[in-house]
Every structure is written in structure tokens, then in C-alpha cells.
Amino acid sequence: MRRSKCCLRIGTRGSDLALVQTEQVLQILRERWPHYTYEVVKIKTTGDKVRNLALPRIGGKGLFTKELEIALLEGKIDLAVHSLKDLPTELPEELCVGAVLPREHPGDVLVSLTGAGLEDLPERARIGTSSLRRQAQLKAVRPDLNFVSLRGNVPTRLRKLERGECEAIVLAWAGLKRLGLDLTRRMTLLSYKVCLPAVAQGAIGVEIRKEDRKLRKMLEALDDPTTRLEVTAERAFLRWLGGGCHVPIAALARVAGTEILLEGLVADPEGRRIIRGQESGPTAYPEEVGIRLAERLLQEGAEELLRG
Ligand SMILES: NCc1[nH]cc(CCC(=O)O)c1CC(=O)O
């Protein structure tokens, strides 16, 4: 199916957060290329359809992105907007990340009805999250905590908290911010020492076909260089570890001048072992920094955690 000359079809999931993120991309495109028309195409992904199972049970990568990539490959859409943390580090050969938008604060927040921080939560409090990364790191600090699987989009998870299904939930700050949910009195930002973010958390990625040269050129204007460097190092780290969704992996890169600093960890889901380290290197070689840290952590015990 060929697109008409000046219409761009933008694929997105149908969740509130995905639509807000897509609107963010659209706003920039409309400002830069007002003579184009834009069509938003909502696409249901496996992760949207299978909502009653914890993600590791569904397994596989690209639960929230595969159908969007198929639509790109079939020419049904021209761009796919993703939360970059949901996009697998290995893309189909014909596709690429054409732009990453300026990153929101990548941290995780603890949301509770009382605003209690992690240290204030009652003994054996129930924490709602399906993320093994969040579970492992919080258990390392509070081994008494209980974790209840919490699927669904951000508003759904907040409703489960309000219904008393748990004492607190953990969400990405970026999702709350983009949805305009001001939970100031009910949330505490978790320090990176306590909870290192998911790879590329807080970043929005726009995926396109590599052959679409004109669109690749257009998207250069949307691409944020600092975010691009950070997520490139973080995604190289994750790719080199070969981690699936069954092993908690976290990483965060920061650019300081001409240096990129990367911190990363691999943990066991119970938080009893956390292999953690840092690497730095020139911003000219962000992938190498990610690979170097992955290699080091593998040798320091992460290999055992990953291969089970
Ligand atoms: N599939 C979950 C998902 N994917 C992206 C975000 C938050 C937005 C981001 O990280 O950019 C979330 C929700 C969460 O982790 O709280």
C-alpha cells in the first residue's frame, strides 16, 4: 500500500500514554512540515491483547512493538512511535530508529495512597509491579516486601492502587508526567542507587524503514543528540548481555561533555545478587562503552545470572 505524496501515517499503540507520545511527535512534525497531512493509525499489540498474564509468562520480545513493525514492513504506516524501553535492541534489518526525542527524567517513582517512601512502607507491604527489574532492586533494600503482578496501562495501575489491591505501585516518572498526572503528594522519586531505570526509560523512539531516505532526513530534525548517545550506550549494553525479560537488567547513561558515563546492573529476581558497575568513554563510541560494561559484568558474575 503506497502512501500519498504528502501524507504520513503514524502508527501507535492505543494506550493513553502511547497516544500522548505520538501527539508529541506529531506536534514537532506539524511545526516543521505544515504542508504534510498526518494520519494516526492505532495498532493493537500482543501486550495490549494479553492483559491477564505477567509479561515473563507471555515471553518473547517486542510484545508492545512487533505489530507496529509488521505494519511498517508492509507499508501500512510510515513511522512507528514507541516508548523506546519497549523496543527490542535487535530490529528487523529493514528498519531503524529514525529519531529519539529529548528524554524525560528516566527515574522510577513509588506511588502510594499515603505518599509513604520506601523506608516508610509497612512491614510486608504489597507492591504492585510486573517489572522484575523493579522487584529485584526493591527487594534488595526491603526483603520483606511482597510483590503483586500489576499489568495494564498507567491509569489502570493507579486504579488498582486506589482499590486497595496493594499499598504502593512503581511507575516510570516519564509516563506520569506525559499523562499530566500530578501525584506529587503521593509519590517519591526512587534514587538510582535504589532503583536504576530500564534501558532507554523515559525516551520516545520513532522507527521507520531504512529505505525511506526522505523521511530519515526529515527525522534528523527531531533527533536529540544527547538522548541518542545515552540510549545507544544503554541499548548496546542490553544487546551484548543478551538479556530477555526474565532477568532484571537496568542501565543509565549520562553525557558529560565529550564523555559518556554508563552505569548498569544485572540482578537475580529475588534481589539477593546484584552485579553492578560503571564504565565511561568518549561520546564518539557510545556502543563500545555499553559493550565494555556488559563484558565486565558478565565476567563478574552476570553470566551465571543470565544463563540461569
Ligand atoms: N510498557 C510499560 C511502559 N513503557 C514505557 C513506560 C513509561 C514511559 C517511558 O519509559 O518512556 C511504561 C510505563 C512504566 O514503566 O511505568
Side-chain angles (χ1 to χ4, degrees):
M1 178 194 296
R2 293 194 57 72
R3 75 179 179 231
S4 67
K5 192 158 173 35
C6 273
C7 172
L8 286 174
R9 299 155 301 173
I10 303 178
T12 176
R13 290 174 55 206
S15 70
D16 296 354
L17 178 59
L19 293 172
V20 164
Q21 294 177 167
T22 298
E23 194 51 43
Q24 218 175 305
V25 172
L26 260 172
Q27 192 178 346
I28 305 168
L29 289 171
R30 285 192 181 112
E31 279 164 15
R32 297 290 304 238
W33 293 281
H35 58 283
Y36 272 83
T37 56
Y38 301 92
E39 179 194 356
V40 174
V41 180
K42 289 184 201 174
I43 297 173
K44 257 192 188 306
T45 64
T46 306
D48 295 311
K49 294 170 196 163
V50 182
R51 304 155 73 106
N52 59 335
L53 294 176
L55 294 183
R57 294 262 327 263
I58 313 173
K61 295 183 179 178
L63 290 173
F64 296 107
T65 58
K66 183 162 55 62
E67 287 80 358
L68 289 163
E69 292 186 312
I70 291 170
L72 271 175
L73 292 168
E74 293 178 345
K76 292 177 180 165
I77 59 174
D78 305 299
L79 311 87
V81 177
H82 302 292
S83 293
L84 197 52
K85 82 165 183 179
D86 293 335
L87 186 66
T89 56
E90 315 258 19
L91 303 186
E93 179 51 41
E94 308 86 341
L95 304 178
C96 65
V97 177
V100 288
L101 269 61
R103 194 173 199 171
E104 266 300 343
H105 186 294
D108 289 289
V109 293
L110 185 78
V111 183
S112 67
L113 296 181
T114 62
L118 186 59
E119 62 290 340
D120 309 320
L121 289 172
E123 187 77 8
R124 292 187 299 284
R126 295 166 301 168
I127 310 296
T129 179
S130 293
S131 160
L132 294 180
R133 171 188 61 85
R134 290 165 175 159
Q135 286 183 43
Q137 294 184 81
L138 267 57
K139 259 195 174 297
V141 178
R142 285 281 308 265
D144 62 294
L145 292 176
N146 291 301
F147 289 87
V148 292
S149 178
L150 194 64
R151 290 283 329 278
N153 57 37
V154 174
T156 302
R157 299 186 207 181
L158 289 168
R159 274 196 296 277
K160 291 181 178 178
L161 174 66
E162 279 144 19
R163 283 204 300 263
E165 294 181 27
C166 46
E167 279 65 60
I169 61 176
V170 185
L171 293 166
W173 159 254
L176 296 176
K177 170 89 180 324
R178 292 183 185 131
L179 289 170
L181 295 169
D182 178 13
L183 303 171
T184 317
R185 282 185 302 285
R186 291 167 50 192
M187 70 178 197
T188 50
L189 188 61
L190 295 169
S191 75
Y192 298 142
K193 262 181 77 63
V194 168
C195 194
L196 200 61
V199 162
Q201 183 157 290
I204 295 171
V206 183
E207 192 177 17
I208 57 173
R209 291 177 294 272
K210 278 179 186 167
E211 67 182 12
D212 203 334
R213 297 181 187 290
K214 185 172 182 185
L215 193 49
R216 286 180 75 170
K217 189 78 188 133
M218 288 171 68
L219 290 187
E220 281 173 10
L222 280 71
D223 199 53
D224 178 66
T226 301
T227 305
R228 174 70 78 169
L229 285 171
E230 292 172 351
V231 300
T232 298
E234 292 168 23
R235 285 168 62 85
F237 172 73
L238 180 59
R239 185 169 58 248
W240 198 261
L241 289 172
C245 56
H246 298 272
V247 178
I249 293 172
L252 183 64
R254 301 274 83 168
V255 173
T258 58
E259 283 283 292
I260 189 162
L261 317 168
L262 175 67
E263 181 163 22
L265 67 83
V266 180
D268 82 287
E270 293 307 308
R272 285 186 295 262
R273 279 193 72 198
I274 298 185
I275 315 288
R276 188 173 190 140
Q278 297 177 341
E279 273 294 341
S280 62
T283 48
Y285 304 103
E287 293 218 345
E288 280 69 1
V289 176
I291 292 169
R292 219 172 332 117
L293 182 59
E295 270 299 334
R296 183 146 66 78
L297 297 193
L298 284 168
Q299 285 153 26
E300 292 175 0
E303 174 82 33
E304 189 187 333
L305 293 177
L306 284 156
R307 310 305 172 233

